[in-house]
Amino acid sequence: MTVYLPASLEEAFEAFELAPDADLLAGGTDYMVEVNSGHRHPSKVVALRKVGELAGWRREGDEVVLGAGLTYTDLMQPDLSELLPGLAQAARTVGSPQIRNVGTLGGNLGTASPAGDTLPVLSALDAVVVLGRRGSVRRLTMHEFVLGPKATALEPGELIVEVRVPAALGSQEFLKVGTRNAMVIAVVNVALVVDWVGRSVRCALGSVGPVPIRAGEAEAFAESRIDWAAGGLTGGAADLAEFAGLVRAAARPIDDHRSTAEYRTHAVGVCAHRALDRVLARAGSWTLGHAS
Amino acid sequence: MSDLITYALKVNGREREVVGAWLGENLLYVLRERLGLPGSKNACEQGECGSCSVLIDGTLECACMVLAGSAAGHDIVTVEGLSPDDGELSDVQEAFVAEGAVQCGFCTPGLIVSVHDLLSRNPDPSDLEVREAISGNLCRCTGYGRVLAAVRAAQETRQR
């Protein structure tokens, strides 16, 4: 068995050139569980713990560029959570402090579990996933990157370098249903972004399909019913109910050990209803701030 | 057996040699079975229970989810490294004893490490912050009441 311990991105690319078939190890919260249980027998591992470049973030104009090695704890810090409130909300629902301290954004993407908590947020933000190898870079949308349950477009020798998302975009909400408040894998998770300037609504659903689902019809309906000047819905409670119904219709859940398709369909509607309701309840500050 | 190698880890301030080990071992196994540090406990081996909590470069982590070799060059502190001298207890450990926050004791070392981590970052945590800080440490005996009292006692002692 070989473990590579690159200390820079350059060294990580080099390690991957030597061993394109190596496993990538970030926080280990999924990988080591499989090793410990004997379900995975590692032979070559590139451990990213020492690659400092992956653990930073920067603002570039209207975008935030997030290093793939940022942990959930990093995403919850005030400076980042102000720019990406939905992502911070999602990060806070992951595992426990011990898990959040090591689990990374890149790891959540690379694992591509249908229940991954950052995935619906990144989908709703139209995030761009930047994949790299020495001398070349690919930029993929979430839709292009996540191909199925635990399947991504990542090619051998390629690693997730960063994720680009819009900074402080409108109002954001993340809701998650699980069996308890800590240490729980989502039965359903929902991310909602309402962009008061661009007058768009983006709603992404997790754990109710093989990949994060954008509820396109629900988004278009909400866009047509939001009173963009005053902040409410023109049809009031009936519009909220209709929005939730369109979200339920977009979900493609299955029965599994964590829940049933029937419950997931119900819960995803409740979450979407609540998310839009909360965003609209806070809308006053936005419409005031952007009144022409 | 070319797969067995020897490497060094810095644990509780000392360089320790891990001899003839398989590289796929997790840090918890190496601490307990190779370095004679049984304070960190093994219950779940999947990061759920927090019994193996350690500090790596000052960050609270579950040792069972750390590929031991990848921790080379980092500062590892286990529950054994938190007390001032052999045989003495840390202030948090004293508080756990005084408040009766221990029943079977299996989760205690992990809780002690988590509480040290909390109080070093946040000397004056609210009840909610304490609960969140220990939410990754499962205890099936105490019902947490005495544990919360012990954290409060340790917090007050430090502020005196």
Side-chain angles (χ1 to χ4, degrees):
Chain A
M1 182 179 168
T2 310
V3 177
Y4 297 87
L5 297 172
S8 68
L9 201 50
E10 195 52 38
E11 284 182 19
F13 289 150
E14 205 177 303
F16 243 179
E17 279 175 9
L18 290 169
D21 57 337
D23 296 329
L24 265 178
L25 175 64
T29 57
D30 290 315
Y31 188 88
M32 288 304 291
V33 173
E34 292 175 12
V35 173
N36 292 345
S37 65
H39 290 123
R40 187 187 273 275
H41 305 280
S43 74
K44 294 171 194 165
V45 175
V46 178
L48 298 172
R49 183 180 278 270
K50 296 174 204 296
V51 183
E53 291 131 293
L54 291 176
W57 65 275
R58 62 186 187 277
R59 177 106 188 230
E60 274 185 16
D62 289 341
E63 278 190 328
V64 185
V65 184
L66 301 165
L70 285 171
T71 65
Y72 299 109
T73 301
D74 293 330
L75 297 173
M76 289 161 57
Q77 298 312 303
D79 43 5
L80 256 183
S81 66
E82 215 167 276
L83 295 172
L84 301 166
L87 203 55
Q89 272 182 311
R92 191 154 184 203
T93 70
V94 174
S96 63
Q98 287 90 330
I99 307 272
R100 294 195 288 271
N101 281 346
V102 296
T104 66
L105 186 65
N108 207 217
L109 279 164
T111 296
S113 158
D117 285 315
T118 67
L119 305 190
V121 186
L122 295 177
S123 170
L125 288 171
D126 286 330
V128 171
V129 184
V130 182
L131 311 178
R133 64 175 84 224
R134 201 208 301 266
S136 83
V137 159
R138 288 200 297 153
R139 291 165 181 244
L140 272 61
T141 64
M142 282 295 288
H143 180 69
E144 292 163 338
F145 177 75
V146 184
L147 301 177
K150 307 208 168 183
T152 70
L154 206 60
E155 286 170 4
E158 210 173 29
L159 60 97
I160 307 166
V161 178
E162 56 195 27
V163 180
R164 307 181 76 98
V165 280
L169 180 69
S171 307
Q172 303 181 8
E173 270 295 327
F174 173 85
L175 282 97
K176 170 172 169 177
V177 173
T179 44
R180 55 189 284 250
N181 277 338
M183 199 59 91
V184 74
I185 293 172
V187 162
V188 154
N189 47 20
V190 171
L192 179 73
V193 176
V194 176
D195 174 5
W196 297 97
V197 180
R199 299 197 166 181
S200 75
V201 174
R202 300 106 167 270
C203 182
L205 323 174
S207 286
V208 290
V211 298
I213 294 172
R214 282 286 289 269
E217 285 184 33
E219 293 176 350
F221 172 77
E223 282 168 5
S224 72
R225 306 298 272 192
I226 288 177
D227 179 341
W228 292 100
L233 286 163
T234 50
D239 280 356
L240 259 184
E242 174 74 19
F243 174 73
L246 290 168
V247 164
R248 283 198 297 274
R252 288 182 283 139
I254 56 169
D255 290 339
D256 67 8
H257 60 291
R258 227 168 270 133
S259 188
T260 63
E262 189 186 358
Y263 178 72
R264 285 186 162 112
T265 303
H266 168 74
V268 80
V270 173
C271 287
H273 188 285
R274 242 172 242 180
L276 185 56
D277 200 25
R278 286 183 188 175
V279 160
L280 294 174
R282 292 198 306 262
S285 56
W286 270 98
T287 45
L288 279 178
H290 292 84
S292 50
Chain B
M1 299 297 269
S2 63
D3 239 16
L4 302 185
I5 71 149
T6 295
Y7 59 95
L9 290 179
K10 191 178 176 195
V11 185
N12 298 330
R14 286 174 55 205
E15 288 292 339
R16 301 288 306 270
E17 212 171 50
V18 182
V19 181
W22 175 55
L23 266 175
E25 288 165 3
N26 66 52
L27 178 61
L28 175 60
Y29 179 86
V30 168
L31 290 171
R32 290 179 57 87
E33 309 297 335
R34 298 196 180 277
L35 298 180
L37 293 167
S40 311
K41 299 291 182 249
N42 183 356
C44 75
E45 283 204 304
Q46 51 180 335
E48 294 255 350
C49 74
S51 314
C52 66
S53 297
V54 296
L55 296 167
I56 302 182
D57 294 340
T59 299
L60 185 70
E61 302 190 22
C62 288
C64 73
M65 292 190 302
V66 177
L67 186 71
S70 78
H74 296 271
D75 248 315
I76 302 159
V77 175
T78 69
V79 68
E80 288 93 342
L82 291 173
S83 31
D85 279 306
D86 257 4
E88 279 184 44
L89 299 180
S90 76
D91 57 348
V92 175
Q93 287 169 320
E94 291 281 8
F96 269 61
V97 173
E99 295 294 331
V102 178
Q103 283 188 33
C104 90
F106 199 85
C107 70
T108 311
L111 274 165
I112 298 288
V113 178
S114 292
V115 173
H116 270 275
D117 173 58
L118 168 68
L119 294 179
S120 70
R121 284 181 295 107
N122 181 357
D124 195 22
S126 67
D127 284 347
L128 212 58
E129 286 169 332
V130 175
R131 284 167 187 269
E132 187 165 15
I134 62 169
S135 64
N137 294 86
L138 298 189
C139 173
R140 300 294 85 159
C141 307
T142 64
Y144 296 97
R146 305 317 303 159
V147 174
L148 296 171
V151 178
R152 190 62 64 222
Q155 180 185 345
E156 282 164 9
T157 308
R158 284 195 187 188
Q159 283 170 355
R160 236 176 257 145

